[in-house]
Amino acid sequence: AVDSGNLPAVAQAMRNLYPNSPILIVGDDDVDKSINKGRAKAVEAAALVGGLATFPSFAHRAEKETDFNDLQRTHGADAVKVQ
């Protein structure tokens, strides 16, 4: 979706293309912002299509680490696979 603003629309488009497939939204967790828009939009999109939302977990989160790409970059692909 590239941006949380269009995440619900993209999730709905995927549901229309794949009506019987599970949908997993891997969202940003913008914990350092007053409004966690990444988490809110991921949860909204998942609910819209009957899917699930998941977010990365960091043992020691650096200031800019918010998504699974950051997790992969700092802790490797295996850390993403585990989560």
Side-chain angles (χ1 to χ4, degrees):
V2 179
D3 179 286
S4 64
N6 71 340
L7 187 54
V10 171
Q12 189 62 59
M14 291 295 101
R15 172 54 70 221
N16 292 340
L17 287 171
Y18 305 100
N20 300 313
S21 295
I23 293 180
L24 179 64
I25 307 292
V26 290
D28 286 7
D29 192 14
D30 303 316
V31 295
D32 63 331
K33 298 182 180 173
S34 61
I35 297 173
N36 194 334
K37 188 176 179 182
R39 180 176 280 272
K41 287 294 186 175
V43 169
E44 175 188 341
L48 180 67
V49 298
L52 297 172
T54 189
F55 305 91
S57 176
F58 295 89
H60 303 288
R61 184 188 299 251
E63 183 178 332
K64 299 288 183 179
E65 291 180 324
T66 64
D67 59 32
F68 281 97
N69 183 58
D70 297 330
L71 182 67
Q72 186 277 328
R73 226 176 2 84
T74 57
H75 301 287
D78 287 340
V80 175
K81 289 177 187 177
V82 166
Q83 289 190 34

